[in-house]
Short mmCIF file of all heavy atoms in Angstrom, two decimals:
data_model
loop_
_atom_site.label_atom_id
_atom_site.label_comp_id
_atom_site.label_asym_id
_atom_site.label_seq_id
_atom_site.Cartn_x
_atom_site.Cartn_y
_atom_site.Cartn_z
N THR A 1390 -6.54 -17.25 46.14
CA THR A 1390 -6.70 -18.16 45.04
C THR A 1390 -6.44 -19.64 45.48
O THR A 1390 -7.09 -20.56 44.99
CB THR A 1390 -5.81 -17.82 43.84
OG1 THR A 1390 -4.46 -17.71 44.25
CG2 THR A 1390 -6.29 -16.56 43.16
N GLU A 1391 -5.52 -19.83 46.39
CA GLU A 1391 -5.30 -21.15 46.94
C GLU A 1391 -6.56 -21.65 47.66
O GLU A 1391 -6.95 -22.80 47.52
CB GLU A 1391 -4.11 -21.15 47.91
CG GLU A 1391 -2.76 -21.10 47.22
CD GLU A 1391 -1.65 -21.00 48.26
OE1 GLU A 1391 -1.87 -21.33 49.45
OE2 GLU A 1391 -0.53 -20.62 47.82
N TRP A 1392 -7.17 -20.78 48.44
CA TRP A 1392 -8.39 -21.12 49.15
C TRP A 1392 -9.51 -21.48 48.16
O TRP A 1392 -10.23 -22.47 48.33
CB TRP A 1392 -8.81 -19.96 50.06
CG TRP A 1392 -10.10 -20.18 50.78
CD1 TRP A 1392 -10.35 -21.03 51.83
CD2 TRP A 1392 -11.34 -19.54 50.48
NE1 TRP A 1392 -11.66 -20.96 52.21
CE2 TRP A 1392 -12.31 -20.05 51.41
CE3 TRP A 1392 -11.75 -18.59 49.55
CZ2 TRP A 1392 -13.62 -19.61 51.40
CZ3 TRP A 1392 -13.10 -18.18 49.55
CH2 TRP A 1392 -13.98 -18.67 50.48
N LEU A 1393 -9.65 -20.67 47.12
CA LEU A 1393 -10.67 -20.98 46.09
C LEU A 1393 -10.38 -22.26 45.36
O LEU A 1393 -11.32 -23.01 45.00
CB LEU A 1393 -10.76 -19.79 45.10
CG LEU A 1393 -11.34 -18.50 45.65
CD1 LEU A 1393 -11.11 -17.38 44.66
CD2 LEU A 1393 -12.85 -18.66 45.95
N GLN A 1394 -9.12 -22.53 45.13
CA GLN A 1394 -8.75 -23.75 44.43
C GLN A 1394 -9.00 -25.00 45.27
O GLN A 1394 -9.18 -26.09 44.75
CB GLN A 1394 -7.27 -23.71 44.03
CG GLN A 1394 -6.95 -22.79 42.92
CD GLN A 1394 -7.50 -23.29 41.61
OE1 GLN A 1394 -8.67 -23.03 41.27
NE2 GLN A 1394 -6.72 -24.01 40.88
N ASP A 1395 -9.05 -24.84 46.57
CA ASP A 1395 -9.34 -25.94 47.51
C ASP A 1395 -10.84 -26.04 47.74
O ASP A 1395 -11.30 -26.09 48.85
CB ASP A 1395 -8.57 -25.71 48.83
CG ASP A 1395 -8.66 -26.92 49.72
OD1 ASP A 1395 -8.76 -28.07 49.22
OD2 ASP A 1395 -8.65 -26.72 50.97
N SER A 1396 -11.58 -26.00 46.64
CA SER A 1396 -13.04 -25.96 46.73
C SER A 1396 -13.63 -26.92 45.73
O SER A 1396 -13.03 -27.89 45.31
CB SER A 1396 -13.49 -24.51 46.44
OG SER A 1396 -14.87 -24.37 46.58
N ASP A 1397 -14.86 -26.63 45.33
CA ASP A 1397 -15.65 -27.46 44.41
C ASP A 1397 -15.19 -27.22 42.95
O ASP A 1397 -14.75 -26.13 42.61
CB ASP A 1397 -17.12 -27.04 44.55
CG ASP A 1397 -18.06 -28.00 43.89
OD1 ASP A 1397 -18.32 -29.05 44.47
OD2 ASP A 1397 -18.50 -27.68 42.77
N PRO A 1398 -15.29 -28.26 42.11
CA PRO A 1398 -14.94 -28.07 40.69
C PRO A 1398 -15.68 -26.88 40.04
O PRO A 1398 -15.12 -26.23 39.15
CB PRO A 1398 -15.34 -29.40 40.04
CG PRO A 1398 -15.36 -30.40 41.14
CD PRO A 1398 -15.72 -29.63 42.36
N SER A 1399 -16.87 -26.60 40.47
CA SER A 1399 -17.64 -25.53 39.85
C SER A 1399 -17.04 -24.15 40.15
O SER A 1399 -17.29 -23.19 39.41
CB SER A 1399 -19.12 -25.54 40.34
OG SER A 1399 -19.19 -25.34 41.73
N ILE A 1400 -16.23 -24.11 41.21
CA ILE A 1400 -15.50 -22.83 41.51
C ILE A 1400 -14.10 -22.89 40.92
O ILE A 1400 -13.62 -21.92 40.32
CB ILE A 1400 -15.45 -22.63 43.03
CG1 ILE A 1400 -16.85 -22.34 43.55
CG2 ILE A 1400 -14.50 -21.49 43.38
CD1 ILE A 1400 -16.98 -22.23 45.05
N ARG A 1401 -13.45 -24.05 41.05
CA ARG A 1401 -12.06 -24.18 40.58
C ARG A 1401 -11.90 -23.83 39.09
O ARG A 1401 -10.98 -23.12 38.74
CB ARG A 1401 -11.53 -25.58 40.85
CG ARG A 1401 -11.13 -25.83 42.25
CD ARG A 1401 -10.32 -27.09 42.38
NE ARG A 1401 -10.94 -28.28 41.91
CZ ARG A 1401 -11.62 -29.14 42.68
NH1 ARG A 1401 -11.77 -28.91 43.97
NH2 ARG A 1401 -12.18 -30.22 42.15
N TRP A 1402 -12.78 -24.32 38.23
CA TRP A 1402 -12.59 -24.06 36.82
C TRP A 1402 -12.68 -22.57 36.50
O TRP A 1402 -11.97 -22.09 35.63
CB TRP A 1402 -13.52 -24.90 35.93
CG TRP A 1402 -14.90 -24.39 35.79
CD1 TRP A 1402 -15.97 -24.67 36.59
CD2 TRP A 1402 -15.41 -23.49 34.80
NE1 TRP A 1402 -17.11 -24.01 36.15
CE2 TRP A 1402 -16.80 -23.29 35.04
CE3 TRP A 1402 -14.82 -22.86 33.73
CZ2 TRP A 1402 -17.57 -22.48 34.27
CZ3 TRP A 1402 -15.63 -22.05 32.91
CH2 TRP A 1402 -16.97 -21.85 33.20
N GLN A 1403 -13.58 -21.87 37.24
CA GLN A 1403 -13.73 -20.43 36.98
C GLN A 1403 -12.51 -19.67 37.51
O GLN A 1403 -12.11 -18.67 36.88
CB GLN A 1403 -15.01 -19.96 37.61
CG GLN A 1403 -16.23 -20.55 36.91
CD GLN A 1403 -17.54 -20.10 37.51
OE1 GLN A 1403 -17.95 -18.98 37.32
NE2 GLN A 1403 -18.21 -21.01 38.24
N VAL A 1404 -11.97 -20.10 38.62
CA VAL A 1404 -10.76 -19.49 39.14
C VAL A 1404 -9.62 -19.67 38.16
O VAL A 1404 -8.84 -18.75 37.84
CB VAL A 1404 -10.37 -20.08 40.50
CG1 VAL A 1404 -9.01 -19.61 40.96
CG2 VAL A 1404 -11.44 -19.71 41.55
N MET A 1405 -9.50 -20.88 37.61
CA MET A 1405 -8.46 -21.18 36.63
C MET A 1405 -8.63 -20.30 35.39
O MET A 1405 -7.62 -19.78 34.87
CB MET A 1405 -8.53 -22.64 36.21
CG MET A 1405 -8.14 -23.59 37.27
SD MET A 1405 -8.45 -25.28 36.70
CE MET A 1405 -7.71 -26.21 38.02
N ARG A 1406 -9.87 -20.12 34.96
CA ARG A 1406 -10.11 -19.32 33.76
C ARG A 1406 -9.96 -17.81 34.03
O ARG A 1406 -9.32 -17.11 33.27
CB ARG A 1406 -11.56 -19.59 33.27
CG ARG A 1406 -11.94 -18.78 32.03
CD ARG A 1406 -13.42 -18.83 31.78
NE ARG A 1406 -14.14 -18.15 32.89
CZ ARG A 1406 -15.46 -18.23 33.07
NH1 ARG A 1406 -16.21 -18.91 32.24
NH2 ARG A 1406 -16.01 -17.59 34.08
N ASP A 1407 -10.54 -17.32 35.10
CA ASP A 1407 -10.63 -15.91 35.34
C ASP A 1407 -9.48 -15.27 36.11
O ASP A 1407 -9.16 -14.12 35.95
CB ASP A 1407 -11.93 -15.54 36.04
CG ASP A 1407 -13.17 -15.96 35.23
OD1 ASP A 1407 -13.08 -16.10 34.01
OD2 ASP A 1407 -14.24 -16.13 35.84
N LEU A 1408 -8.87 -16.05 36.99
CA LEU A 1408 -7.84 -15.49 37.87
C LEU A 1408 -6.42 -16.01 37.59
O LEU A 1408 -5.46 -15.32 37.79
CB LEU A 1408 -8.18 -15.75 39.32
CG LEU A 1408 -9.53 -15.17 39.81
CD1 LEU A 1408 -9.77 -15.56 41.26
CD2 LEU A 1408 -9.55 -13.68 39.64
N LEU A 1409 -6.35 -17.26 37.15
CA LEU A 1409 -5.03 -17.85 36.98
C LEU A 1409 -4.58 -17.96 35.53
O LEU A 1409 -3.42 -18.31 35.25
CB LEU A 1409 -5.02 -19.27 37.60
CG LEU A 1409 -5.33 -19.33 39.09
CD1 LEU A 1409 -5.34 -20.76 39.58
CD2 LEU A 1409 -4.34 -18.50 39.89
N ASP A 1410 -5.47 -17.69 34.60
CA ASP A 1410 -5.13 -17.77 33.15
C ASP A 1410 -4.51 -19.10 32.82
O ASP A 1410 -3.52 -19.17 32.11
CB ASP A 1410 -4.23 -16.58 32.81
CG ASP A 1410 -4.19 -16.34 31.31
OD1 ASP A 1410 -5.20 -16.60 30.63
OD2 ASP A 1410 -3.12 -15.90 30.81
N SER A 1411 -5.14 -20.18 33.30
CA SER A 1411 -4.67 -21.51 33.02
C SER A 1411 -4.91 -21.91 31.58
O SER A 1411 -5.70 -21.27 30.88
CB SER A 1411 -5.39 -22.53 33.93
OG SER A 1411 -5.12 -22.23 35.29
N LYS A 1412 -4.23 -22.95 31.15
CA LYS A 1412 -4.42 -23.45 29.78
C LYS A 1412 -5.84 -23.99 29.63
O LYS A 1412 -6.44 -24.56 30.54
CB LYS A 1412 -3.40 -24.56 29.48
CG LYS A 1412 -1.99 -24.04 29.43
CD LYS A 1412 -1.03 -25.17 29.11
CE LYS A 1412 0.38 -24.64 29.09
NZ LYS A 1412 1.34 -25.68 28.77
N GLN A 1413 -6.35 -23.86 28.41
CA GLN A 1413 -7.72 -24.28 28.10
C GLN A 1413 -7.98 -25.74 28.42
O GLN A 1413 -9.03 -26.11 28.92
CB GLN A 1413 -8.06 -23.99 26.63
CG GLN A 1413 -8.23 -22.53 26.34
CD GLN A 1413 -9.37 -21.89 27.13
OE1 GLN A 1413 -10.42 -22.46 27.30
NE2 GLN A 1413 -9.13 -20.70 27.61
N GLU A 1414 -6.99 -26.62 28.15
CA GLU A 1414 -7.16 -28.04 28.39
C GLU A 1414 -7.33 -28.34 29.89
O GLU A 1414 -8.13 -29.17 30.28
CB GLU A 1414 -5.94 -28.82 27.88
CG GLU A 1414 -5.62 -28.66 26.43
CD GLU A 1414 -4.81 -27.39 26.15
OE1 GLU A 1414 -3.88 -27.02 26.92
OE2 GLU A 1414 -5.07 -26.76 25.13
N ILE A 1415 -6.58 -27.60 30.72
CA ILE A 1415 -6.71 -27.77 32.18
C ILE A 1415 -8.06 -27.27 32.68
O ILE A 1415 -8.69 -27.90 33.50
CB ILE A 1415 -5.52 -27.05 32.87
CG1 ILE A 1415 -4.21 -27.70 32.51
CG2 ILE A 1415 -5.74 -27.06 34.38
CD1 ILE A 1415 -2.99 -26.96 32.93
N ILE A 1416 -8.49 -26.13 32.16
CA ILE A 1416 -9.79 -25.59 32.54
C ILE A 1416 -10.89 -26.54 32.13
O ILE A 1416 -11.78 -26.87 32.94
CB ILE A 1416 -10.01 -24.19 31.88
CG1 ILE A 1416 -8.97 -23.19 32.38
CG2 ILE A 1416 -11.42 -23.71 32.09
CD1 ILE A 1416 -8.91 -21.91 31.60
N ALA A 1417 -10.83 -27.05 30.91
CA ALA A 1417 -11.87 -27.99 30.40
C ALA A 1417 -11.91 -29.25 31.25
O ALA A 1417 -12.98 -29.78 31.57
CB ALA A 1417 -11.63 -28.30 28.96
N SER A 1418 -10.74 -29.75 31.59
CA SER A 1418 -10.67 -30.96 32.42
C SER A 1418 -11.33 -30.76 33.78
O SER A 1418 -12.08 -31.60 34.28
CB SER A 1418 -9.20 -31.36 32.59
OG SER A 1418 -9.11 -32.46 33.48
N GLU A 1419 -11.07 -29.59 34.39
CA GLU A 1419 -11.68 -29.29 35.67
C GLU A 1419 -13.18 -29.09 35.55
O GLU A 1419 -13.95 -29.57 36.37
CB GLU A 1419 -11.03 -28.04 36.29
CG GLU A 1419 -11.36 -27.85 37.74
CD GLU A 1419 -10.92 -29.02 38.64
OE1 GLU A 1419 -9.84 -29.55 38.42
OE2 GLU A 1419 -11.67 -29.30 39.59
N ARG A 1420 -13.59 -28.41 34.50
CA ARG A 1420 -15.01 -28.15 34.29
C ARG A 1420 -15.78 -29.48 34.10
O ARG A 1420 -16.92 -29.61 34.52
CB ARG A 1420 -15.21 -27.24 33.10
CG ARG A 1420 -16.62 -26.81 32.91
CD ARG A 1420 -16.77 -25.82 31.78
NE ARG A 1420 -18.17 -25.45 31.62
CZ ARG A 1420 -18.61 -24.69 30.66
NH1 ARG A 1420 -17.80 -24.17 29.77
NH2 ARG A 1420 -19.90 -24.40 30.59
N ASN A 1421 -15.15 -30.43 33.43
CA ASN A 1421 -15.81 -31.73 33.19
C ASN A 1421 -16.12 -32.47 34.52
O ASN A 1421 -16.99 -33.32 34.56
CB ASN A 1421 -14.96 -32.62 32.30
CG ASN A 1421 -15.02 -32.19 30.86
OD1 ASN A 1421 -15.99 -31.56 30.43
ND2 ASN A 1421 -13.97 -32.47 30.12
N LYS A 1422 -15.43 -32.12 35.56
CA LYS A 1422 -15.66 -32.79 36.87
C LYS A 1422 -16.97 -32.38 37.52
O LYS A 1422 -17.41 -33.05 38.47
CB LYS A 1422 -14.47 -32.47 37.81
CG LYS A 1422 -13.15 -33.06 37.40
CD LYS A 1422 -12.04 -32.66 38.34
CE LYS A 1422 -10.70 -33.14 37.86
NZ LYS A 1422 -9.63 -32.67 38.75
N ILE A 1423 -17.58 -31.29 37.08
CA ILE A 1423 -18.83 -30.80 37.69
C ILE A 1423 -19.90 -31.89 37.70
O ILE A 1423 -20.63 -32.03 38.66
CB ILE A 1423 -19.30 -29.53 36.97
CG1 ILE A 1423 -18.32 -28.41 37.22
CG2 ILE A 1423 -20.70 -29.14 37.43
CD1 ILE A 1423 -18.53 -27.18 36.35
N ALA A 1424 -19.96 -32.70 36.64
CA ALA A 1424 -20.99 -33.74 36.55
C ALA A 1424 -20.72 -34.94 37.44
O ALA A 1424 -21.62 -35.69 37.75
CB ALA A 1424 -21.19 -34.18 35.12
N THR A 1425 -19.47 -35.10 37.86
CA THR A 1425 -19.09 -36.31 38.55
C THR A 1425 -18.59 -36.09 39.99
O THR A 1425 -18.44 -37.10 40.74
CB THR A 1425 -18.01 -37.08 37.78
OG1 THR A 1425 -16.87 -36.23 37.61
CG2 THR A 1425 -18.52 -37.51 36.41
N GLU A 1426 -18.34 -34.85 40.38
CA GLU A 1426 -17.80 -34.56 41.71
C GLU A 1426 -18.50 -33.34 42.28
O GLU A 1426 -18.92 -32.43 41.54
CB GLU A 1426 -16.31 -34.25 41.63
CG GLU A 1426 -15.46 -35.37 41.12
CD GLU A 1426 -13.98 -34.97 41.01
OE1 GLU A 1426 -13.56 -33.98 41.66
OE2 GLU A 1426 -13.25 -35.62 40.24
N GLY A 1427 -18.60 -33.29 43.58
CA GLY A 1427 -19.04 -32.05 44.28
C GLY A 1427 -20.50 -31.72 44.10
O GLY A 1427 -21.35 -32.59 43.92
N TRP A 1428 -20.77 -30.41 44.15
CA TRP A 1428 -22.12 -29.92 44.15
C TRP A 1428 -22.92 -30.27 42.89
O TRP A 1428 -24.09 -30.63 42.96
CB TRP A 1428 -22.14 -28.40 44.35
CG TRP A 1428 -21.46 -27.92 45.58
CD1 TRP A 1428 -21.39 -28.54 46.79
CD2 TRP A 1428 -20.72 -26.70 45.71
NE1 TRP A 1428 -20.66 -27.78 47.66
CE2 TRP A 1428 -20.24 -26.63 47.03
CE3 TRP A 1428 -20.43 -25.66 44.84
CZ2 TRP A 1428 -19.48 -25.56 47.53
CZ3 TRP A 1428 -19.68 -24.59 45.33
CH2 TRP A 1428 -19.20 -24.56 46.63
N GLY A 1429 -22.27 -30.20 41.72
CA GLY A 1429 -22.96 -30.51 40.49
C GLY A 1429 -23.40 -31.97 40.48
O GLY A 1429 -24.53 -32.29 40.12
N SER A 1430 -22.49 -32.86 40.85
CA SER A 1430 -22.82 -34.29 40.93
C SER A 1430 -23.96 -34.55 41.90
O SER A 1430 -24.87 -35.33 41.63
CB SER A 1430 -21.57 -35.07 41.35
OG SER A 1430 -21.87 -36.41 41.53
N ARG A 1431 -23.93 -33.84 43.01
CA ARG A 1431 -24.98 -34.04 44.01
C ARG A 1431 -26.34 -33.59 43.46
O ARG A 1431 -27.35 -34.27 43.63
CB ARG A 1431 -24.63 -33.30 45.29
CG ARG A 1431 -25.59 -33.60 46.42
CD ARG A 1431 -25.05 -33.16 47.73
NE ARG A 1431 -26.01 -33.48 48.77
CZ ARG A 1431 -25.92 -33.06 49.98
NH1 ARG A 1431 -24.95 -32.30 50.33
NH2 ARG A 1431 -26.83 -33.42 50.87
N LEU A 1432 -26.38 -32.42 42.81
CA LEU A 1432 -27.64 -31.98 42.21
C LEU A 1432 -28.12 -32.96 41.17
O LEU A 1432 -29.33 -33.26 41.11
CB LEU A 1432 -27.45 -30.58 41.59
CG LEU A 1432 -27.45 -29.39 42.52
CD1 LEU A 1432 -27.08 -28.13 41.77
CD2 LEU A 1432 -28.80 -29.22 43.19
N LEU A 1433 -27.25 -33.43 40.33
CA LEU A 1433 -27.63 -34.36 39.29
C LEU A 1433 -28.17 -35.64 39.87
O LEU A 1433 -29.07 -36.29 39.32
CB LEU A 1433 -26.45 -34.68 38.35
CG LEU A 1433 -26.04 -33.54 37.44
CD1 LEU A 1433 -24.70 -33.85 36.73
CD2 LEU A 1433 -27.10 -33.23 36.42
#
């Protein structure tokens, strides 16, 4: 999970949701980064 967390926002938010049971606010904050950071930003 540490390795997955040291990755792209598109992976981190899903790890937080599915494996770490993080709070919804934290998950949403990470998911919002997809448009501005990493692979999602590059595709856009």
Side-chain angles (χ1 to χ4, degrees):
T1390 54
E1391 285 176 18
W1392 177 73
L1393 289 169
Q1394 288 290 87
D1395 189 29
S1396 184
D1397 192 79
S1399 63
I1400 293 175
R1401 282 195 302 264
W1402 81 270
Q1403 294 179 73
V1404 170
M1405 292 173 172
R1406 178 194 65 191
D1407 299 338
L1408 301 177
L1409 300 178
D1410 197 31
S1411 298
K1412 292 182 181 180
Q1413 289 299 320
E1414 303 84 38
I1415 296 171
I1416 296 168
S1418 175
E1419 192 62 36
R1420 186 176 180 186
N1421 286 334
K1422 294 177 184 177
I1423 294 167
T1425 59
E1426 299 177 19
W1428 303 327
S1430 174
R1431 188 166 180 189
L1432 281 173
L1433 290 170

